[in-house]
Amino acid sequence: MPDWREEIARRLRGARLAPADEAAITEELQQHVDDRYAELRAAGQSDAAARRTALDELGDDELRAQLSVVRVTTRPRAVAWGEGLGGLWGDLRIGARLLKRTPGFTTIAALTLALGIGANTTIFTVVNALLLRPMPGISRPDELVLIGRTQGGQGFDTFSYPDFLDYREQATRLSVAAYFSVPAHLSTGGASERVRAGVVSGNYFRVLGVHATAGRMFLAEDDGAPNANPVVVLSYGLWQRRFGSDTSVVGSRVTIDAHAYTVIGVAAEGFTGLERYSSDDVFIPLAMIGTLRPGFDRALGARDAVWLQLFGRLATGRAAVGVESELQGIASRLAKAYPESNAERGVAVVGGIGFDPSSRRAVESFAGILLGVVALVLLIACANVANLLLARGAARRHEFAVRASLGASRARLVRQLIAEGLLLSLVGGVLGFGLGVVTARLIVRLPFFTSSLTSIDFAPDGRVLFFTAVVAILSALIFGVPSAFRASRVELLSSLKTGTPGGGLRRSLFRNALLVGQLGLSIVLLVAAGLFLRTLGALYATPPGFDTNHVLIATVDVALQGYDEPRGRRFYDELERRAAALPGVTGAGLGYMIPLGGGGWDTRIYPAEITPAKDDPGLKTDVNSVSASYFSAIHMPVVQGRGFANTDRAGAPSVAIVNEVIARQLWPNQDPIGRRFRLGREGEVLTVIGVVQTAKYRTLLESSRPFFYRPFAQVYQTPMTLHVATAGDPRALIPAVRQLVQSLDRELPVYRIQTLGDRLAGSVSMQRTAAILVASYGALALLLAAIGLYGSMTYVVARRTREIGIRMALGARAALVMGQVLREALMLALLGAALGIVVAIPSARLLRSQLFGVEPGDPITFATVTITLVAVAVVAAFSPAWRATRVDPVVALRSD
């Protein structure tokens, strides 16, 4: 072996070291260069090339590292600490060089971290877009609050227009504004499209602080006398898409629902209203509601017509608590002044905009579960990398022992190892950020996002980048610090002896504990995935109460073309008649509300024979207006009485068909046919003529809901949805239905054309998305745990090569050796499964609100997950176990 001492001494001359220190460093560096020279020669380099390369790689970083060891151990503590901080950059550079020399380890560790960090980045990107990112175009959104009407302290309902005016005029702690969104039909220059119109109060834009890109926003006078001021503000997106960003559009006229409006402005870029899950294309003053919904302008004077959503901006320095107290006082005065509509009504105030409270709670719960899932994935990845670092540390025990013998403190070794961990996290964080961005784009194509959140921008921003950086640093601490302290525990005598086996019992126990922890966390995630998959199966197995396989629906709104009621009735009657005559159609009916749409049209009813008490809230129920053939079209059976007939028309006695829930709650143990009930306390009285089977109306997850139907001939509504029953695939009928509507009115758009099966799938989109995501991350966790087990067993077999060789030389059979390795892996898997089950049982209870048709402690799920984990563990350990049987005793004994 060449003698490098002269060259090393030459390079150390400028350091002015004590002779003892110089001799110690020279010995350490000579060993380092010897090792590198041997590696290069073994790789096939010539003697001269290997000498040159080994000396070239002995750069300033290595020299500074050795000098810092001496100085840290010989100088006062305060000075040493300062140099330690100053030498961090040197530690990072040395760590980078060391990691570069082991590309296989570095690649596996970085990719493992990238998977864990990327999973967290993905979900945080979604959470950031849904809940954290301010809505664009709005000034100081933290000052905005939503206002909801309560009944007995419960709920978060809408307000009537007269009540809104009272709140706006009497509130002093905040400015109150209102809005209401409806579909509309926009026409310009012969081209038309369906848009969403935000019907807003005159102070809407002022309260939000939304400025105009072109023209102006609404003023108070724009929202004056009913139907007197037809003006419109365009959204920035519609202005770009439809008008090519032409500012001359301001002052021009457009047609909305067959009425002419003057464009007065374009809203700020990005602003699309106050709801994250939908976007408004145009904005119209509240006073113009009668042109959008003929006859609806009477609601401007009715206190019992609740339809407006209210929000407000807090006055400077005002607290939301004080605001709610003030609004409660206004509600009390309105209850005394108008008891028939406002009795027992209160007000609730919640901070933030974008989601109503119930939707926000659902999204927050959904997001919380996903964040918890990916946090567990990150912990599994960190445990995996910690195990890899321990194995690498065991292989470097000789290096650590030499450094310690030359005076390097344990803290110095720990700092170097932590620096290497930080570098791994940096690489993993960069890869994880890219992976997270790509994966987030894929996730937002899942059902929950495509069905209801299409208007949200899920692009990453600075907040996502900061989150990824924090996660990367935390990851480095989680896996780096424990493994650094464990690996830096050096036993000098044994470690300096070449060929001495390393690790020891405590180190093996620590590695095994990490591995058992990985497997246990995998069980927790797999149990969650199993419960969500079982929930999804239970939902699809739940009968909705009507046919979802052979029914096509298509919505038409004649109000978009300005039809009055007589003309609208004639259109809908002809549409239903012609649809029923189409080839392949077995029936057709009309309905105002669509099953499984997530929303409803609700009211409160009272038995007509009883005078309700003052505090009696009545029975809250949903209602639908349907044609006589509706029930046969969707195959919803009338179980008692009769369905609607042609005699149930305008001018005839008002009738209704109720579901079994209403019959049971209003008239228990009595025949409901012929019974009467009242709409509200003083409203219309209806006679029950039939009872239909209880179905699912808003979602598949709902409990049995009160519901009744009124004949379309007596209760005219628009829009109406055509329900077409087919003998074959309903989608094949889509072109024929579109052509049918165009044959009746070429300008009338058809929208929301789909099957009831599509509605069913959409109603469980959140559960389906959760099942897909949790199952995917559960599979990723299982894969990481399997890789960790594989790596651990491979390391064990490699470290015990001599032992295995001796046993096989003494006559041990290959099957016995394989069985021992597999038994060790199986024992670790069983311990991990036991730990995971102990943690999963209470953790699963946190998912109870998200489950349907399955209990958190479902034994089938737990058994299936446990068997899966054990099977995967055996498969992961099979290859190392097989390699153990291939050990050549002669080679193993010679290696000692």
Side-chain angles (χ1 to χ4, degrees), residues 530-798:
L531 291 174
F532 276 112
L533 291 172
R534 295 262 290 162
T535 290
L536 193 62
L539 285 171
Y540 278 116
T542 301
F546 47 85
D547 183 13
T548 60
N549 297 319
H550 301 94
V551 179
L552 179 73
I553 59 173
T555 302
V556 181
D557 189 355
V558 295
L560 300 180
Q561 287 296 96
Y563 284 37
D564 57 16
E565 182 174 335
R567 185 184 174 194
R569 286 190 178 279
R570 290 194 298 271
F571 175 90
Y572 286 126
D573 289 344
E574 186 67 13
L575 175 65
E576 183 182 57
R577 186 185 67 79
R578 292 194 187 185
L582 290 174
V585 172
T586 60
L590 292 167
Y592 175 57
M593 302 304 302
I594 308 174
L596 302 177
W601 170 22
D602 61 64
T603 186
R604 293 185 180 272
I605 62 175
Y606 300 83
E609 299 83 3
I610 301 174
T611 301
K614 183 178 180 181
D615 59 349
D616 183 359
L619 178 62
K620 186 176 181 179
T621 172
D622 281 356
V623 57
N624 196 2
S625 174
V626 301
S627 66
S629 56
Y630 172 84
F631 299 108
S632 61
I634 66 172
H635 299 100
M636 178 180 286
V638 178
V639 297
Q640 194 174 352
R642 66 173 177 86
F644 294 131
N646 293 332
T647 55
D648 301 315
R649 57 181 181 272
S654 299
V655 296
I657 295 175
V658 301
N659 72 349
E660 295 165 312
V661 177
I662 291 182
R664 185 171 58 251
Q665 293 193 21
L666 291 189
W667 305 285
N669 302 318
Q670 301 178 51
D671 185 358
I673 305 303
R675 298 282 183 173
R676 301 186 304 156
F677 64 90
R678 187 183 303 277
L679 301 180
R681 292 176 176 273
E682 304 293 335
E684 186 179 5
V685 175
L686 309 180
T687 301
V688 177
I689 63 170
V691 178
V692 292
Q693 177 181 293
T694 299
K696 300 293 185 180
Y697 304 103
R698 299 195 181 196
T699 71
L700 277 177
L701 285 82
E702 70 188 18
S703 55
S704 297
R705 178 186 294 274
F707 204 100
F708 71 94
Y709 300 85
R710 302 195 63 184
F712 177 62
Q714 292 183 346
V715 183
Y716 176 74
Q717 294 289 342
T718 181
M720 292 296 287
T721 297
L722 179 68
H723 297 67
V724 182
T726 65
D729 182 6
R731 289 184 177 83
L733 210 64
I734 291 177
V737 171
R738 289 189 183 277
Q739 186 177 2
L740 171 59
V741 175
Q742 289 182 351
S743 68
L744 293 172
D745 188 333
R746 185 171 297 276
E747 296 297 322
L748 198 60
V750 182
Y751 59 96
R752 207 158 48 197
I753 184 164
Q754 57 187 163
T755 68
L756 282 184
D758 296 330
R759 302 292 291 187
L760 186 146
S763 71
V764 297
S765 61
M766 179 180 288
Q767 289 72 28
R768 190 147 54 107
T769 300
I772 292 172
L773 289 177
V774 177
S776 299
Y777 286 124
L780 174 60
L782 183 61
L783 174 63
L784 289 174
I787 292 173
L789 181 61
Y790 169 82
S792 181
M793 299 313 298
T794 300
Y795 174 77
V796 168
V797 169

Side-chain angles (χ1 to χ4, degrees), residues 335-558:
K336 293 178 181 178
Y338 310 101
E340 66 282 355
S341 60
N342 291 71
E344 302 297 322
R345 292 289 188 176
V347 173
V349 177
V350 297
I353 54 175
F355 293 103
D356 62 82
S358 61
S359 298
R360 178 174 289 274
R361 283 192 297 270
V363 172
E364 287 176 343
S365 176
F366 180 61
I369 290 172
L370 295 181
L371 285 173
V373 165
V374 294
L376 293 181
V377 171
L378 180 63
L379 287 177
I380 293 172
C382 289
N384 216 330
V385 175
N387 242 330
L388 289 173
L389 288 173
L390 285 175
R392 185 169 182 260
R396 296 171 65 187
R397 69 191 184 283
H398 184 74
E399 171 197 339
F400 296 153
V402 171
R403 289 175 179 266
S405 67
L406 293 175
S409 66
R410 188 180 180 191
R412 178 66 182 84
L413 297 177
V414 167
R415 195 183 73 182
Q416 178 61 54
L417 291 171
I418 291 178
E420 294 176 20
L422 284 172
L423 287 171
L424 285 175
S425 282
L426 175 63
V427 176
V430 172
L431 295 175
F433 182 79
L435 179 64
V437 170
V438 173
T439 309
R441 292 177 180 173
L442 297 176
I443 282 181
V444 298
R445 297 177 183 176
L446 293 176
F448 173 62
F449 301 99
T450 57
S451 63
S452 56
L453 300 172
T454 55
S455 62
I456 297 179
D457 179 15
F458 288 95
D461 55 16
R463 193 181 288 106
V464 175
L465 184 61
F466 177 76
F467 173 83
T468 304
V470 170
V471 169
I473 294 173
L474 289 177
S475 300
L477 297 177
I478 292 172
F479 72 79
V481 173
S483 58
F485 275 95
R486 180 65 62 173
S488 63
R489 184 180 296 171
V490 178
E491 299 176 5
L492 291 180
L493 292 179
S494 62
S495 298
L496 288 172
K497 293 180 181 179
T498 304
T500 302
L505 177 60
R506 282 185 293 180
R507 186 163 296 171
S508 298
L509 288 176
F510 187 65
R511 284 197 301 269
N512 289 341
L514 288 175
L515 188 55
V516 168
Q518 290 182 65
L519 296 171
L521 292 177
S522 299
I523 283 283
V524 176
L525 290 183
L526 291 173
V527 165
L531 291 174
F532 276 112
L533 291 172
R534 295 262 290 162
T535 290
L536 193 62
L539 285 171
Y540 278 116
T542 301
F546 47 85
D547 183 13
T548 60
N549 297 319
H550 301 94
V551 179
L552 179 73
I553 59 173
T555 302
V556 181
D557 189 355
V558 295

Side-chain angles (χ1 to χ4, degrees), residues 4-5 7-9 11-12 22-36 54-55 58-59 61-67 97 402-403 406:
W4 317 95
R5 282 177 296 183
E7 176 63 21
I8 293 172
R11 298 190 184 195
L12 290 175
E22 183 173 345
I25 293 178
T26 300
E27 181 179 351
E28 168 66 12
L29 292 178
Q30 178 160 326
Q31 178 65 46
H32 172 77
V33 180
D34 279 344
D35 292 343
R36 184 58 180 150
L55 285 173
L58 183 64
D61 290 341
E62 188 66 28
L63 292 174
R64 276 197 295 269
Q66 296 302 323
L67 290 172
R97 191 174 67 190
V402 171
R403 289 175 179 266
L406 293 175

